[in-house]
Amino acid sequence: MPFPGPLYERAASAPPVPRGLPLVIALTGFTDAGSAVSRLIEYFRDELSTSPLAVYSNDSLLDYRARRPIVSFEKDHLTDYRPQRLELSFAHDSLGQPFLLLAGYEPDFGWDAFAASVVAFAESYGVSTVTWVHAIPMPVPHTRPIGTTVSGTRSELTEAHSVWQPHTQVPATAGHLLEFRLAEAGARIAGFVLLIPHYLGDTEYPAAALAALDSLTAATGLVFAGDELRDENRAYLEKVSEQIAGSEELARMVQGLEERYDAYMAGSTLATPMIHTGDLPSADELAAELERFLASRPGDDDKRGA
């Protein structure tokens, strides 16, 4: 059971925050194909200027047994303890434009209380827009642009960027609940689902994080450099191309995905599935075909899943 303590603590040294900023939400959790969101959070924390405004309580929201903190061991003693982090921060993009950032783990407990707190923060800061991203595996080729499904209350973004608009039911994430509650509260909110090639979904695929940044730019006007990610992605794609060139099975699979992708994009803008999954190899077949690729990447090249 979660510890019955406070849900969050306000940062004592929080800077003044102007009203009317965009709010960006990035939560890891149920699905994160291509490590899109985890890399996005890493980018925000390592590359941008951020100042915590509120820090959520791990004892109230986190299942430590499911996502254990990291400790560092040095010969005969411990040197570091790194717990999970979930924070609301004041941030600036690569051009110095300010925005609010809610980033970290998806809560294991207290979803309703968590969602209520985020709605309250959005209202108290008078946010202009709310944008969140997550990523799912899809039978699409890596040789085509990463598509998105866009939901929320901003129809202009859905019309412009939602390439797949299904009628379906899926297991909810905390991000879905936030979108639902914020939409009820009248917020201008957009949720971007990145459609990541499923044969790369278990890797750290730099293009996934780049697509997340591009989605945020389209929704907010914020600018993110991402030069390191682009360099990583070029190296990553070179290795993928090498593996495919050495396997007729992989080449046929990718060609089939390309043909279906191109036919869908050329012939349909309706709310129908992007690809008829019944015509595709099964997940087990794809996993077997790509086992050599996923297992053969040298350790030195795996710093970021390249």
Side-chain angles (χ1 to χ4, degrees):
M1 294 294 292
F3 183 79
L7 192 65
Y8 61 84
E9 290 187 3
R10 297 262 189 181
S13 57
V17 177
R19 290 180 60 81
L21 299 181
L23 169 61
V24 169
I25 299 175
L27 302 176
T28 61
F30 177 66
T31 179
D32 187 18
S35 298
V37 179
S38 57
R39 288 302 308 276
L40 183 65
I41 293 172
E42 182 180 311
Y43 171 84
F44 286 146
R45 291 176 174 172
D46 292 347
E47 302 296 329
L48 302 184
S49 171
T50 61
S51 302
L53 301 173
V55 179
Y56 282 88
S57 169
N58 289 353
D59 283 348
S60 295
L61 297 178
L62 180 67
D63 181 354
Y64 287 90
R65 293 170 297 181
R67 286 179 281 189
R68 295 181 180 271
I70 301 298
V71 296
S72 298
F73 191 88
E74 183 65 30
K75 294 184 178 179
D76 60 357
H77 65 285
L78 302 179
T79 60
D80 188 32
Y81 172 81
R82 286 181 288 157
Q84 298 276 348
R85 294 163 55 192
L86 175 58
E87 300 172 342
L88 178 68
S89 301
F90 180 48
H92 294 81
D93 71 359
S94 298
L95 297 182
Q97 299 179 96
F99 67 102
L100 294 174
L101 172 66
L102 175 64
Y105 62 85
E106 177 189 55
D108 295 304
F109 308 112
W111 278 22
D112 284 331
F114 171 66
S117 73
V118 175
V119 171
F121 279 130
E123 291 176 345
S124 66
Y125 287 113
V127 301
S128 57
T129 61
V130 183
T131 311
W132 72 289
V133 295
H134 73 294
I136 63 173
M138 280 286 289
V140 294
H142 71 281
T143 53
R144 298 295 186 268
I146 292 176
T148 58
T149 290
V150 186
S151 58
T153 63
R154 301 184 62 186
S155 58
E156 77 280 9
L157 292 175
T158 300
E159 293 172 3
H161 301 290
S162 190
V163 301
W164 184 49
Q165 300 180 32
H167 295 280
T168 187
Q169 292 182 328
V170 297
T173 69
H176 290 115
L177 178 59
L178 291 180
E179 178 182 319
F180 190 75
R181 297 298 185 213
L182 285 161
E184 286 184 328
R188 298 180 64 225
I189 183 167
F192 285 81
V193 185
L194 309 177
L195 310 176
I196 305 302
H198 60 323
Y199 52 92
L200 303 179
D202 290 335
T203 73
E204 290 192 2
Y205 182 28
L210 287 169
L213 291 173
D214 289 344
S215 298
L216 295 176
T217 295
T220 65
L222 298 169
V223 177
F224 306 102
D227 292 338
E228 182 177 342
L229 284 169
R230 288 181 174 83
D231 291 340
E232 288 181 24
N233 193 54
R234 282 190 287 269
Y236 181 98
L237 291 178
E238 287 178 2
K239 292 179 174 60
V240 173
S241 297
E242 291 172 2
Q243 293 296 325
I244 292 174
S247 170
E248 292 184 4
E249 290 180 331
L250 293 180
R252 285 197 300 270
M253 182 199 70
V254 172
Q255 182 180 1
L257 293 175
E258 290 173 339
E259 291 172 354
R260 292 177 177 89
Y261 180 98
D262 292 342
Y264 174 85
M265 295 299 290
S268 177
T269 58
L270 302 177
T272 55
M274 183 182 294
I275 292 172
H276 297 291
T277 56
D279 296 335
L280 296 171
S282 69
D284 288 340
E285 289 170 335
L286 288 170
E289 290 172 349
L290 288 164
E291 183 177 5
R292 291 187 299 274
F293 163 62
L294 299 176
S296 64
R297 292 173 297 146
D300 290 343
D301 292 335
D302 272 349
K303 293 180 181 179
R304 293 296 174 205

